[in-house]
Amino acid sequence: MHVIQYIAAIDQGTTSSRCMIFDHDGAVVSVAQKEHRQIFPRAGWVEHDPKELWINTREVVASALAKAHLTESDIAAVGITNQRETTVVWDRNTGEPVYNAIVWQDTRTDELCRRLGGDEGPSRYRKRTGLPLSTYFSGPKVRWILDNVDGAREKADAGDLCFGTIDSWILWHLTQGTHLTDATNASRTMLMNLETLEWDPEICAEFGIPMSMLPEIRSSSEIYGVGRPQGPLPGIPVAGILGDQQAATFGQACLSEGEAKNTYGTGNFLLLNTGTTPVPSKHGLLTTVCYKIGDAPAVYALEGSVAVTGSLVQWLRDSLGIIQSAKEIEALAKSVDDNGDVYFVPAFSGLFAPRWRPDARGAIVGMTRFTNKGHLARAALEATAYQTREVIEAMRADSGVELASLKVDGGMVVNETLMQFQSDILGVPVIRPVVNETTALGAAYAAGLAVGFWESEGDIRENWAVDKTWEPAMDEAESTRLYAGWNKAVERTYDWV
Ligand SMILES: Nc1ncnc2c1ncn2[C@@H]1O[C@H](COP(=O)(O)OP(=O)(O)OP(=O)(O)O)[C@@H](O)[C@H]1O
Ligand SMILES: [Mg+2]
């Protein structure tokens, strides 16, 4: 008898697409990864080519299998996780996108969001959707495409267009044109009612989005379909979908109320599991679906989304050229003793949580002739840690949860200098798990649970293990002083546009 030993996960992210294959212990058996083009047509606009995303996904799946000498017959199921909010609109007859994917960081809908808010302002839909009106979410991006792409409105009205976040786009291609999404991704569109997990007809009407475009909303863990014969995983059940941050929360085994994780990738995303009732935020956090496993009730989260953290390191590499690779930032930051009183506020897409200031833009403040590139590198890393503290303070105010430690993951957590500083500035231990690729792992768990590869969430807890812990080592007076400097710097970035 052939015992199927593996689960695959597709992680279609903001900077790259990955495929990872995991065994029953949740250990990584194979990885393949490919970056895609970031398209910046104008200041504030960010796009991806949806076809490139699919081609890369197909390639990394094939290559992850090949590297481990596996074929699709070794895979029990595949899960999808994705960069969230990024919006694709395509023709349901031809599969052709009508426009590039508009990425979550894109700010072109700024004016549109102001109009949609009307007299009630950014909080107009907060109660129903858990979200403030912001350029971040998908709904306004769909509306922009319908208003600005020739012929799109007519086609949409005729029922010929599909909208999808990237999970839906990948699923459509992986299967034979299945059009659906899961509740976590749907909760980031601003079009879904957070309590009923259904599209809200009134919001769709007010946004001018025909409901015929929308994918069906399903749970995060069930069999949605099987891989199409000509695709990279023919006949394999596609059985899990989670937005990347929710997947990381699941992969970090934050499965009980009060458990949280912070992911350090392109941006930073801290999610706190709040159990089966959505908790509204008064302090600039989002209320979002954390996961919904099959028929079980949905679990919700409070989320602090920070737009720019790891992407600031990329910016230092690609736009300033003061480092050649992301890794080099650590040595450069360590070439100086401290930040030299320099603060770098990376408000490239305005500021997200907890401040939500679309009018802010980036600033480096506090420079003197003494300042050198080491200070800039240091200030860039510190910005990530300060932004995390802001979010944690908002989370405490909203939920009353006092974090005793912080579970971390993502591309930046290999940076030991940053992790130590993070612990210093928070005053709590910072814990990195053995499997740092929690995003892909979470999607694998969702898929594996649906097909009985894993029995229960207990398996997820059992598989989770600590790799390294950083303890706070700075006196509180010093961390308070630094954090006060940060706050002052952030205020300098307001009212810029
Ligand atoms: N040693 C390092 N120190 C600091 N930052 C780093 C280091 N290595 C990588 N990074 C940053 O980590 C980020 C990549 O992390 P990760 O792969 O988790 O990103 P991601 O958000 O998951 O990407 P995607 O959106 O494509 O999924 C990049 O922005 C990169 O600049
Ligand atoms: Mg990612």
PDB file of all heavy atoms in Angstrom, residues 47-70:
ATOM      1  N   GLU A  47       1.654  47.381  -8.487  1.00  0.00           N
ATOM      2  CA  GLU A  47       0.919  46.333  -9.207  1.00  0.00           C
ATOM      3  C   GLU A  47       1.771  45.075  -9.367  1.00  0.00           C
ATOM      4  O   GLU A  47       2.993  45.128  -9.285  1.00  0.00           O
ATOM      5  CB  GLU A  47       0.534  46.846 -10.616  1.00  0.00           C
ATOM      6  CG  GLU A  47      -0.351  48.064 -10.583  1.00  0.00           C
ATOM      7  CD  GLU A  47      -0.686  48.611 -11.979  1.00  0.00           C
ATOM      8  OE1 GLU A  47      -0.185  48.055 -12.989  1.00  0.00           O
ATOM      9  OE2 GLU A  47      -1.443  49.597 -12.048  1.00  0.00           O
ATOM     10  N   HIS A  48       1.088  43.950  -9.573  1.00  0.00           N
ATOM     11  CA  HIS A  48       1.730  42.707 -10.002  1.00  0.00           C
ATOM     12  C   HIS A  48       1.037  42.237 -11.272  1.00  0.00           C
ATOM     13  O   HIS A  48      -0.139  42.537 -11.486  1.00  0.00           O
ATOM     14  CB  HIS A  48       1.582  41.614  -8.936  1.00  0.00           C
ATOM     15  CG  HIS A  48       2.296  41.903  -7.662  1.00  0.00           C
ATOM     16  ND1 HIS A  48       1.892  41.385  -6.449  1.00  0.00           N
ATOM     17  CD2 HIS A  48       3.388  42.667  -7.397  1.00  0.00           C
ATOM     18  CE1 HIS A  48       2.712  41.802  -5.501  1.00  0.00           C
ATOM     19  NE2 HIS A  48       3.625  42.588  -6.045  1.00  0.00           N
ATOM     20  N   ASP A  49       1.768  41.461 -12.079  1.00  0.00           N
ATOM     21  CA  ASP A  49       1.162  40.845 -13.257  1.00  0.00           C
ATOM     22  C   ASP A  49       0.546  39.513 -12.820  1.00  0.00           C
ATOM     23  O   ASP A  49       1.271  38.589 -12.452  1.00  0.00           O
ATOM     24  CB  ASP A  49       2.259  40.638 -14.312  1.00  0.00           C
ATOM     25  CG  ASP A  49       1.745  39.854 -15.514  1.00  0.00           C
ATOM     26  OD1 ASP A  49       0.563  39.432 -15.514  1.00  0.00           O
ATOM     27  OD2 ASP A  49       2.543  39.648 -16.442  1.00  0.00           O
ATOM     28  N   PRO A  50      -0.786  39.404 -12.856  1.00  0.00           N
ATOM     29  CA  PRO A  50      -1.428  38.184 -12.332  1.00  0.00           C
ATOM     30  C   PRO A  50      -0.973  36.919 -13.053  1.00  0.00           C
ATOM     31  O   PRO A  50      -0.856  35.862 -12.442  1.00  0.00           O
ATOM     32  CB  PRO A  50      -2.928  38.412 -12.578  1.00  0.00           C
ATOM     33  CG  PRO A  50      -3.082  39.817 -12.995  1.00  0.00           C
ATOM     34  CD  PRO A  50      -1.750  40.364 -13.394  1.00  0.00           C
ATOM     35  N   LYS A  51      -0.674  37.046 -14.340  1.00  0.00           N
ATOM     36  CA  LYS A  51      -0.227  35.861 -15.085  1.00  0.00           C
ATOM     37  C   LYS A  51       1.140  35.391 -14.593  1.00  0.00           C
ATOM     38  O   LYS A  51       1.399  34.207 -14.487  1.00  0.00           O
ATOM     39  CB  LYS A  51      -0.150  36.175 -16.576  1.00  0.00           C
ATOM     40  CG  LYS A  51      -1.508  36.277 -17.215  1.00  0.00           C
ATOM     41  CD  LYS A  51      -1.329  36.415 -18.707  1.00  0.00           C
ATOM     42  CE  LYS A  51      -2.661  36.409 -19.412  1.00  0.00           C
ATOM     43  NZ  LYS A  51      -2.490  36.821 -20.813  1.00  0.00           N
ATOM     44  N   GLU A  52       2.005  36.374 -14.307  1.00  0.00           N
ATOM     45  CA  GLU A  52       3.320  36.031 -13.778  1.00  0.00           C
ATOM     46  C   GLU A  52       3.174  35.315 -12.429  1.00  0.00           C
ATOM     47  O   GLU A  52       3.883  34.341 -12.141  1.00  0.00           O
ATOM     48  CB  GLU A  52       4.159  37.312 -13.622  1.00  0.00           C
ATOM     49  CG  GLU A  52       5.583  37.056 -13.173  1.00  0.00           C
ATOM     50  CD  GLU A  52       6.379  38.339 -12.929  1.00  0.00           C
ATOM     51  OE1 GLU A  52       5.819  39.447 -13.057  1.00  0.00           O
ATOM     52  OE2 GLU A  52       7.567  38.212 -12.583  1.00  0.00           O
ATOM     53  N   LEU A  53       2.239  35.777 -11.599  1.00  0.00           N
ATOM     54  CA  LEU A  53       2.034  35.134 -10.297  1.00  0.00           C
ATOM     55  C   LEU A  53       1.659  33.670 -10.493  1.00  0.00           C
ATOM     56  O   LEU A  53       2.148  32.790  -9.785  1.00  0.00           O
ATOM     57  CB  LEU A  53       0.949  35.850  -9.488  1.00  0.00           C
ATOM     58  CG  LEU A  53       1.186  37.328  -9.155  1.00  0.00           C
ATOM     59  CD1 LEU A  53       0.040  37.864  -8.285  1.00  0.00           C
ATOM     60  CD2 LEU A  53       2.534  37.542  -8.463  1.00  0.00           C
ATOM     61  N   TRP A  54       0.765  33.404 -11.456  1.00  0.00           N
ATOM     62  CA  TRP A  54       0.366  32.011 -11.681  1.00  0.00           C
ATOM     63  C   TRP A  54       1.499  31.184 -12.283  1.00  0.00           C
ATOM     64  O   TRP A  54       1.772  30.075 -11.850  1.00  0.00           O
ATOM     65  CB  TRP A  54      -0.903  31.922 -12.547  1.00  0.00           C
ATOM     66  CG  TRP A  54      -1.124  30.521 -13.019  1.00  0.00           C
ATOM     67  CD1 TRP A  54      -1.107  30.063 -14.292  1.00  0.00           C
ATOM     68  CD2 TRP A  54      -1.335  29.360 -12.183  1.00  0.00           C
ATOM     69  NE1 TRP A  54      -1.296  28.700 -14.326  1.00  0.00           N
ATOM     70  CE2 TRP A  54      -1.438  28.239 -13.041  1.00  0.00           C
ATOM     71  CE3 TRP A  54      -1.429  29.165 -10.799  1.00  0.00           C
ATOM     72  CZ2 TRP A  54      -1.641  26.942 -12.566  1.00  0.00           C
ATOM     73  CZ3 TRP A  54      -1.629  27.868 -10.329  1.00  0.00           C
ATOM     74  CH2 TRP A  54      -1.744  26.777 -11.206  1.00  0.00           C
ATOM     75  N   ILE A  55       2.209  31.750 -13.262  1.00  0.00           N
ATOM     76  CA  ILE A  55       3.315  31.005 -13.891  1.00  0.00           C
ATOM     77  C   ILE A  55       4.370  30.649 -12.846  1.00  0.00           C
ATOM     78  O   ILE A  55       4.855  29.517 -12.778  1.00  0.00           O
ATOM     79  CB  ILE A  55       3.934  31.838 -15.048  1.00  0.00           C
ATOM     80  CG1 ILE A  55       2.931  31.892 -16.210  1.00  0.00           C
ATOM     81  CG2 ILE A  55       5.263  31.260 -15.509  1.00  0.00           C
ATOM     82  CD1 ILE A  55       3.281  32.907 -17.286  1.00  0.00           C
ATOM     83  N   ASN A  56       4.699  31.617 -11.978  1.00  0.00           N
ATOM     84  CA  ASN A  56       5.694  31.346 -10.934  1.00  0.00           C
ATOM     85  C   ASN A  56       5.193  30.293  -9.953  1.00  0.00           C
ATOM     86  O   ASN A  56       5.959  29.430  -9.505  1.00  0.00           O
ATOM     87  CB  ASN A  56       6.041  32.631 -10.175  1.00  0.00           C
ATOM     88  CG  ASN A  56       6.871  33.579 -11.012  1.00  0.00           C
ATOM     89  OD1 ASN A  56       7.125  33.316 -12.187  1.00  0.00           O
ATOM     90  ND2 ASN A  56       7.288  34.688 -10.422  1.00  0.00           N
ATOM     91  N   THR A  57       3.908  30.366  -9.630  1.00  0.00           N
ATOM     92  CA  THR A  57       3.340  29.392  -8.701  1.00  0.00           C
ATOM     93  C   THR A  57       3.462  27.982  -9.273  1.00  0.00           C
ATOM     94  O   THR A  57       3.887  27.047  -8.606  1.00  0.00           O
ATOM     95  CB  THR A  57       1.863  29.738  -8.410  1.00  0.00           C
ATOM     96  OG1 THR A  57       1.820  31.030  -7.810  1.00  0.00           O
ATOM     97  CG2 THR A  57       1.218  28.722  -7.493  1.00  0.00           C
ATOM     98  N   ARG A  58       3.096  27.856 -10.553  1.00  0.00           N
ATOM     99  CA  ARG A  58       3.176  26.557 -11.213  1.00  0.00           C
ATOM    100  C   ARG A  58       4.617  26.037 -11.186  1.00  0.00           C
ATOM    101  O   ARG A  58       4.873  24.887 -10.880  1.00  0.00           O
ATOM    102  CB  ARG A  58       2.711  26.751 -12.659  1.00  0.00           C
ATOM    103  CG  ARG A  58       2.121  25.539 -13.288  1.00  0.00           C
ATOM    104  CD  ARG A  58       1.516  25.883 -14.626  1.00  0.00           C
ATOM    105  NE  ARG A  58       2.456  26.594 -15.478  1.00  0.00           N
ATOM    106  CZ  ARG A  58       2.109  27.272 -16.577  1.00  0.00           C
ATOM    107  NH1 ARG A  58       0.843  27.335 -16.948  1.00  0.00           N
ATOM    108  NH2 ARG A  58       3.006  27.876 -17.293  1.00  0.00           N
ATOM    109  N   GLU A  59       5.549  26.952 -11.466  1.00  0.00           N
ATOM    110  CA  GLU A  59       6.958  26.561 -11.477  1.00  0.00           C
ATOM    111  C   GLU A  59       7.459  26.102 -10.119  1.00  0.00           C
ATOM    112  O   GLU A  59       8.160  25.096 -10.017  1.00  0.00           O
ATOM    113  CB  GLU A  59       7.816  27.768 -11.892  1.00  0.00           C
ATOM    114  CG  GLU A  59       8.171  27.775 -13.338  1.00  0.00           C
ATOM    115  CD  GLU A  59       9.052  28.976 -13.654  1.00  0.00           C
ATOM    116  OE1 GLU A  59      10.090  29.192 -12.984  1.00  0.00           O
ATOM    117  OE2 GLU A  59       8.645  29.710 -14.564  1.00  0.00           O
ATOM    118  N   VAL A  60       7.110  26.854  -9.064  1.00  0.00           N
ATOM    119  CA  VAL A  60       7.646  26.480  -7.747  1.00  0.00           C
ATOM    120  C   VAL A  60       7.025  25.184  -7.243  1.00  0.00           C
ATOM    121  O   VAL A  60       7.683  24.419  -6.536  1.00  0.00           O
ATOM    122  CB  VAL A  60       7.532  27.610  -6.690  1.00  0.00           C
ATOM    123  CG1 VAL A  60       8.432  28.779  -7.065  1.00  0.00           C
ATOM    124  CG2 VAL A  60       6.102  28.061  -6.445  1.00  0.00           C
ATOM    125  N   VAL A  61       5.785  24.903  -7.631  1.00  0.00           N
ATOM    126  CA  VAL A  61       5.181  23.630  -7.235  1.00  0.00           C
ATOM    127  C   VAL A  61       5.968  22.483  -7.880  1.00  0.00           C
ATOM    128  O   VAL A  61       6.396  21.540  -7.207  1.00  0.00           O
ATOM    129  CB  VAL A  61       3.684  23.555  -7.632  1.00  0.00           C
ATOM    130  CG1 VAL A  61       3.143  22.142  -7.423  1.00  0.00           C
ATOM    131  CG2 VAL A  61       2.860  24.562  -6.827  1.00  0.00           C
ATOM    132  N   ALA A  62       6.186  22.599  -9.188  1.00  0.00           N
ATOM    133  CA  ALA A  62       6.918  21.549  -9.896  1.00  0.00           C
ATOM    134  C   ALA A  62       8.313  21.394  -9.325  1.00  0.00           C
ATOM    135  O   ALA A  62       8.801  20.270  -9.110  1.00  0.00           O
ATOM    136  CB  ALA A  62       6.984  21.882 -11.384  1.00  0.00           C
ATOM    137  N   SER A  63       8.943  22.507  -9.013  1.00  0.00           N
ATOM    138  CA  SER A  63      10.328  22.423  -8.572  1.00  0.00           C
ATOM    139  C   SER A  63      10.435  21.913  -7.129  1.00  0.00           C
ATOM    140  O   SER A  63      11.360  21.154  -6.806  1.00  0.00           O
ATOM    141  CB  SER A  63      11.008  23.767  -8.846  1.00  0.00           C
ATOM    142  OG  SER A  63      11.681  24.243  -7.773  1.00  0.00           O
ATOM    143  N   ALA A  64       9.457  22.250  -6.260  1.00  0.00           N
ATOM    144  CA  ALA A  64       9.488  21.702  -4.894  1.00  0.00           C
ATOM    145  C   ALA A  64       9.319  20.182  -4.926  1.00  0.00           C
ATOM    146  O   ALA A  64       9.981  19.450  -4.182  1.00  0.00           O
ATOM    147  CB  ALA A  64       8.406  22.347  -4.030  1.00  0.00           C
ATOM    148  N   LEU A  65       8.451  19.697  -5.793  1.00  0.00           N
ATOM    149  CA  LEU A  65       8.269  18.246  -5.923  1.00  0.00           C
ATOM    150  C   LEU A  65       9.558  17.595  -6.430  1.00  0.00           C
ATOM    151  O   LEU A  65      10.047  16.614  -5.867  1.00  0.00           O
ATOM    152  CB  LEU A  65       7.121  17.937  -6.898  1.00  0.00           C
ATOM    153  CG  LEU A  65       5.689  18.197  -6.405  1.00  0.00           C
ATOM    154  CD1 LEU A  65       4.693  18.061  -7.560  1.00  0.00           C
ATOM    155  CD2 LEU A  65       5.308  17.259  -5.265  1.00  0.00           C
ATOM    156  N   ALA A  66      10.117  18.193  -7.491  1.00  0.00           N
ATOM    157  CA  ALA A  66      11.310  17.607  -8.108  1.00  0.00           C
ATOM    158  C   ALA A  66      12.486  17.556  -7.131  1.00  0.00           C
ATOM    159  O   ALA A  66      13.198  16.549  -7.047  1.00  0.00           O
ATOM    160  CB  ALA A  66      11.686  18.400  -9.360  1.00  0.00           C
ATOM    161  N   LYS A  67      12.681  18.640  -6.367  1.00  0.00           N
ATOM    162  CA  LYS A  67      13.818  18.689  -5.435  1.00  0.00           C
ATOM    163  C   LYS A  67      13.769  17.553  -4.414  1.00  0.00           C
ATOM    164  O   LYS A  67      14.805  17.102  -3.951  1.00  0.00           O
ATOM    165  CB  LYS A  67      13.789  20.013  -4.661  1.00  0.00           C
ATOM    166  CG  LYS A  67      14.359  21.180  -5.418  1.00  0.00           C
ATOM    167  CD  LYS A  67      14.402  22.381  -4.479  1.00  0.00           C
ATOM    168  CE  LYS A  67      14.810  23.637  -5.215  1.00  0.00           C
ATOM    169  NZ  LYS A  67      14.719  24.818  -4.320  1.00  0.00           N
ATOM    170  N   ALA A  68      12.546  17.168  -4.017  1.00  0.00           N
ATOM    171  CA  ALA A  68      12.435  16.109  -3.007  1.00  0.00           C
ATOM    172  C   ALA A  68      12.180  14.749  -3.667  1.00  0.00           C
ATOM    173  O   ALA A  68      11.852  13.782  -2.978  1.00  0.00           O
ATOM    174  CB  ALA A  68      11.331  16.452  -2.017  1.00  0.00           C
ATOM    175  N   HIS A  69      12.322  14.692  -4.978  1.00  0.00           N
ATOM    176  CA  HIS A  69      12.062  13.464  -5.742  1.00  0.00           C
ATOM    177  C   HIS A  69      10.666  12.917  -5.468  1.00  0.00           C
ATOM    178  O   HIS A  69      10.491  11.720  -5.215  1.00  0.00           O
ATOM    179  CB  HIS A  69      13.133  12.399  -5.447  1.00  0.00           C
ATOM    180  CG  HIS A  69      14.515  12.915  -5.662  1.00  0.00           C
ATOM    181  ND1 HIS A  69      15.029  13.172  -6.914  1.00  0.00           N
ATOM    182  CD2 HIS A  69      15.474  13.274  -4.780  1.00  0.00           C
ATOM    183  CE1 HIS A  69      16.251  13.651  -6.793  1.00  0.00           C
ATOM    184  NE2 HIS A  69      16.543  13.727  -5.509  1.00  0.00           N
ATOM    185  N   LEU A  70       9.695  13.796  -5.481  1.00  0.00           N
ATOM    186  CA  LEU A  70       8.311  13.400  -5.241  1.00  0.00           C
ATOM    187  C   LEU A  70       7.483  13.671  -6.490  1.00  0.00           C
ATOM    188  O   LEU A  70       7.888  14.447  -7.363  1.00  0.00           O
ATOM    189  CB  LEU A  70       7.723  14.204  -4.074  1.00  0.00           C
ATOM    190  CG  LEU A  70       8.428  14.074  -2.721  1.00  0.00           C
ATOM    191  CD1 LEU A  70       7.842  15.059  -1.719  1.00  0.00           C
ATOM    192  CD2 LEU A  70       8.306  12.645  -2.195  1.00  0.00           C
TER     193      LEU A  70
END
